[in-house]
Every structure is written in C-alpha cells, then in structure tokens.
Amino acid sequence: MGQLFWKFGDRDDSLDIVKERGNIWGVPLANVVMMEQEHSNLVKVVEKSDLGAGFLKEPLPYVDAICTDMEDVLLVVKSADCIPILFYDKRNNAIAGAHSGRLGTQRSICTEVLRKMKSEYGTEICDLQVRIGPGISCGNYQVSQEIYEQFVAETDVEQPTKFYLDLKKVIVADLMKSGVKRENIECSEVCTCEDDRYFSYRQDKDCGRQLSVIGVINGTIV
C-alpha cells in the first residue's frame, strides 16, 4: 500500500508554474493526468494511455471527474472559484478528483463519482474519505433569479440567502445522502473570491488556475 498524497494548491503552484517546472511536487508530468473540464457530471476511469494528459499532451476532454486505482499517478483538478473535490478509498487503494462548479454541483457530480468508484473498485461509500477544497463562498456568489430558482429546484437543498448559492452546502448534502459519513468529509472554509492567495474567476476572468492533486505514491513526496 502506497502513501496517500493529496493537496489543494494556490497561486504559488499554479498550472502555468507547474508546466514550466516540469513536475508536480516532485512527480514527473508523465505520471500526471488533468482534464479539460466542461462543467459536466461525467466521470472517466484513467487508463495508462491517459498518463501525461494536460501536460505532455492534450487534457482529457468532456469530463469533470477522473478516478483510478493505479499507484504513482497524480490526478489533477484545476479551479478558480469552482470547487475541487478529492476522494480516497483506502481499502481498495482508489482515488478520484472532481471539478464541481454550479452546473456540476447542480447535476450531482459527486454522486456520479461515488457510483463510478463503487462499480469500478467495489468502494464502500461509508468508508470513503472526501476533502472539499477552497472555492467561492455563498456570500460572493450571487446569481439571477432564474438560475437561483432552477438550482434550488434541481438540488433540493435550501439556500441560506436568496439569489446567492452555497455550492459546498449542496456538495456535502449530496455526499451524505449517498452514504458518506459526515466525519469523513473535510470541507475548506476558504473563499477564493476573498483570499488573494487564490485565483478567482469572478474577481478577474483573465486569471490563472490553482491545482488540487491526489495520488497514492510509494515513498515520500516533498
């Protein structure tokens, strides 16, 4: 069994910096996989032929979540206000990473990740560990009345303030409804729109992307 490595990065380890450096925290880019991210709820099982995607070749298209049980492979989620989510199944040595913006949250991408991990690896949902990373907070995410009403209707989760969306609240609710224990969910309170350590698309549309990474690695990563 390898050592779990998961981390939510910030501006100091942005996508552009990582590409220039040629590795992610010591892991060569040939062992890294990143998605294009389309605001979907589609999940892809990573294969050996996908290694290097997003860095040495084109990123994986049309998906917003990836999973694997291969060791020494890092799964990467890029974000700048949307919510990065990392999943770990210790029993089956399986991992997943998801990008959950408004549409992905509305379409229950977390539920799709759990279904895929259960079908592919036999994951017991109650044993799963989940980390929810920095993203935009409810107080900074105002939307139109139409979008607000559609979001609430489709997620069936009451929002604390009218016309403002709390994506993390819905994500946690979806995870718990699917059987993840609340004590196994760690949720960052950092708002990317308020904290200048992070990129924020809402603050500056022409911004970089921070990276969130998970992998099961033999040895120690510095």
Side-chain angles (χ1 to χ4, degrees), residues 131-166:
R131 286 189 180 178
I132 302 168
I136 194 166
S137 65
C138 179
N140 289 295
Y141 195 13
Q142 184 177 14
V143 295
S144 68
Q145 179 176 351
E146 179 183 3
I147 289 175
Y148 176 85
E149 290 177 350
Q150 184 180 28
F151 185 87
V152 172
E154 293 192 15
T155 61
D156 196 29
V157 175
E158 183 179 348
Q159 291 295 314
T161 308
K162 199 165 188 179
F163 305 141
Y164 287 80
L165 301 183
D166 188 339

Side-chain angles (χ1 to χ4, degrees), residues 29-166:
L29 299 184
N31 285 39
V32 176
V33 181
M34 186 172 67
M35 308 162 281
E36 180 63 33
Q37 300 176 185
E38 307 274 348
H39 294 283
S40 70
N41 65 351
L42 301 179
V43 186
K44 185 185 188 305
V45 176
V46 170
E47 303 170 357
K48 286 186 178 180
S49 59
D50 297 321
L51 298 184
F55 297 92
L56 305 182
K57 53 189 177 185
E58 291 300 309
L60 300 180
Y62 312 124
V63 298
D64 282 77
I66 44 181
C67 60
T68 189
D69 61 354
M70 290 189 288
E71 287 199 8
D72 301 322
V73 171
L74 295 185
L75 306 183
V76 179
V77 179
K78 56 184 177 177
S79 62
D81 282 341
C82 293
I83 315 298
I85 312 167
L86 305 177
F87 305 77
Y88 177 49
D89 170 7
K90 182 177 181 179
R91 182 180 301 181
N92 296 290
N93 219 31
I95 56 175
H99 161 260
S100 191
R102 175 177 59 83
L103 290 175
T105 304
Q106 191 169 318
R107 295 164 179 167
S108 302
I109 190 170
C110 280
T111 303
E112 298 304 317
V113 171
L114 300 181
R115 286 174 181 164
K116 183 68 76 173
M117 293 186 75
K118 187 173 182 64
S119 66
E120 292 290 328
Y121 315 118
T123 296
E124 294 291 340
I125 305 303
C126 61
D127 293 335
L128 201 65
Q129 296 180 50
V130 183
R131 286 189 180 178
I132 302 168
I136 194 166
S137 65
C138 179
N140 289 295
Y141 195 13
Q142 184 177 14
V143 295
S144 68
Q145 179 176 351
E146 179 183 3
I147 289 175
Y148 176 85
E149 290 177 350
Q150 184 180 28
F151 185 87
V152 172
E154 293 192 15
T155 61
D156 196 29
V157 175
E158 183 179 348
Q159 291 295 314
T161 308
K162 199 165 188 179
F163 305 141
Y164 287 80
L165 301 183
D166 188 339

